[in-house]
Amino acid sequence: MGFELKILGANSAIPTTTRNTTSQLISINQSHYLIDCGEGTQIQMRKYRVKMQRIKAIFISHLHGDHFFGLIGLLNTMHLLGRQNELLIFCPPGLKEIINLQLKVADSKLNYKINFQELEFNDGKSHIYSDNIADVYTIPLDHRIPCNGFLFVEKPKNRRIKKELIDKLKIPVEQLPKIKEGVDFHREDGRVFQNEEITLPPRKSYSYAFCSDTRYNDRIVPLIENTDLLYHEATFTEAFRERAQQTYHSTARDAATIAEKAKVSKLLIGHYSARYKNFDQHLEEAREVFGNTELALDGHTFSSSDL
């Protein structure tokens, strides 16, 4: 239960022998959402014991290959493993055509429905998805081709009934859901127990912002302000700042500056250039600006207990 982020890949452009390209799995109260799907994502899921059939929706930021080349393989594997539930894919225009062409050429038909939701690229934050667990918004990024980030906002949780009072007050099971929603308990003998007496406050709800790929752009600051966890690309160190600008990417210091301005609780940096063997310099440069920074590395998990 609670919030958990699993890094399936955090490299940019190409995978290496130890690092995969971009993909992340968000789990909120056992609901699974996948962000981006670089090549080999399904192998990473096997490696890190991710239950791929539980994924409700996939969010693709943009159509550079290191963010979606793994999608057709994942979709086919879901089919071969017997998926029946509809899958939502939020994506840029063009991805539906790509996937359907791959299936057509291979004379393949999936035994589950894919519901493609094509995204727009707006200047502000746009609401794109909602279920009983979370709301999801797009965040406009500044990349060489149209690119969206994503903001996940967990919905407010219900109050928690004090377990010892359920038996003591003989609260009927059918009344528990209403009490969790804030209703007072009216017992058959006429006694009324105020909701605050028999419940605890709701647990905290969390928010997560995913920002990759993008040049430094502080226009996103008000859109992600006070987010609990921010992932911001940090493809380069300061030694390659000019290269970052040319390729519409950010440095670790850029990412940390956004985190500092947005007053987020924790920053994760990733989308590393394959030229780097380790990321000590990334971390050092980011922490000079924003102390609560961590590296996004393949297989690492960040949960609500870390925030």
Side-chain angles (χ1 to χ4, degrees):
M1 301 293 284
F3 170 89
E4 183 177 279
L5 174 71
K6 172 76 76 175
I7 306 299
L8 300 174
N11 226 41
S12 71
I14 58 174
T16 70
T17 55
T18 57
R19 307 195 313 256
N20 222 60
T21 49
T22 301
S23 186
Q24 301 181 0
L25 184 85
I26 300 176
S27 301
I28 306 176
N29 294 330
Q30 298 183 353
S31 286
H32 287 11
Y33 312 93
L34 185 69
I35 303 179
D36 282 346
C37 191
E39 60 183 284
T41 291
Q42 62 174 320
I43 298 174
Q44 297 292 86
M45 289 183 177
R46 293 278 182 147
K47 181 177 180 180
Y48 300 124
R49 300 180 182 276
V50 171
K51 296 180 179 178
M52 64 181 70
Q53 300 292 49
R54 289 188 179 180
I55 295 171
K56 298 170 65 173
I58 298 175
F59 300 84
I60 302 296
S61 62
H62 66 297
L63 293 186
H64 279 156
D66 54 329
H67 295 261
F68 82 94
F69 276 171
L71 186 57
I72 187 63
L74 175 62
L75 298 178
N76 191 60
T77 295
M78 287 177 166
H79 162 78
L80 293 174
L81 293 177
R83 184 183 181 102
Q84 298 291 327
N85 294 335
E86 178 181 276
L87 179 65
L88 284 166
I89 300 181
F90 294 85
C91 59
L95 184 60
K96 178 180 179 180
E97 181 182 359
I98 292 169
I99 295 299
N100 284 341
L101 179 60
Q102 289 175 308
L103 293 172
K104 178 182 177 181
V105 171
D107 192 23
S108 297
K109 181 175 176 58
L110 303 179
N111 54 21
Y112 61 93
K113 180 182 178 182
I114 298 177
N115 185 348
F116 288 95
Q117 299 288 319
E118 293 191 341
L119 300 175
E120 297 180 351
F121 299 92
N122 301 315
D123 292 335
K125 182 170 66 176
S126 297
H127 183 262
I128 59 169
Y129 175 75
S130 183
D131 58 21
N132 62 333
I133 299 295
D135 288 295
V136 185
Y137 303 81
T138 55
I139 304 167
L141 301 179
D142 182 11
H143 196 40
R144 188 167 59 82
I145 66 172
C147 183
N148 280 313
F150 300 104
L151 174 65
F152 290 75
V153 180
E154 187 180 7
K155 290 186 173 178
K157 298 181 174 73
N158 289 331
R159 296 185 67 85
R160 297 170 289 154
I161 300 175
K162 297 176 181 177
K163 292 182 180 180
E164 68 275 11
L165 295 183
I166 296 176
D167 291 333
K168 183 178 180 180
L169 301 181
K170 296 182 171 57
I171 302 175
V173 173
E174 61 271 16
Q175 292 196 35
L176 296 180
K178 289 295 184 183
I179 293 172
K180 290 179 180 179
E181 292 172 3
V183 175
D184 297 333
F185 173 45
H186 295 257
R187 206 160 66 174
E188 289 185 354
D189 62 9
R191 290 189 64 187
V192 177
F193 296 87
Q194 297 298 313
N195 191 269
E196 291 77 8
E197 297 179 67
I198 60 176
T199 64
L200 298 170
R203 289 189 172 89
K204 176 179 168 58
S205 294
Y206 291 90
S207 54
Y208 173 62
F210 170 89
C211 296
S212 182
D213 303 15
T214 186
R215 289 194 297 192
Y216 177 83
N217 181 3
D218 59 12
R219 288 182 300 171
I220 70 172
V221 167
L223 308 181
I224 61 173
E225 198 165 18
N226 298 316
T227 298
D228 293 296
L229 182 62
L230 167 65
Y231 171 88
H232 194 290
E233 75 126 284
T235 309
F236 299 102
T237 55
E238 286 300 303
F240 291 91
R241 169 163 290 280
E242 184 176 346
R243 179 64 176 162
Q245 285 293 309
Q246 291 171 348
T247 58
Y248 286 75
H249 286 299
S250 296
T251 67
R253 186 178 295 275
D254 288 335
T257 302
I258 293 292
E260 179 70 19
K261 288 185 175 182
K263 301 180 179 65
V264 305
S265 297
K266 182 187 280 289
L267 169 66
L268 302 180
I269 54 174
H271 199 261
Y272 314 110
S273 168
R275 61 170 39 85
Y276 296 102
K277 303 303 180 186
N278 68 71
F279 314 111
D280 295 342
Q281 189 66 27
H282 287 76
L283 193 58
E284 180 181 336
E285 291 179 3
R287 284 181 172 174
E288 287 175 356
V289 177
F290 188 79
N292 195 14
T293 301
E294 300 291 343
L295 298 173
L297 299 173
D298 291 26
H300 282 204
T301 298
F302 301 88
S303 66
S304 51
S305 61
D306 302 313
L307 303 175

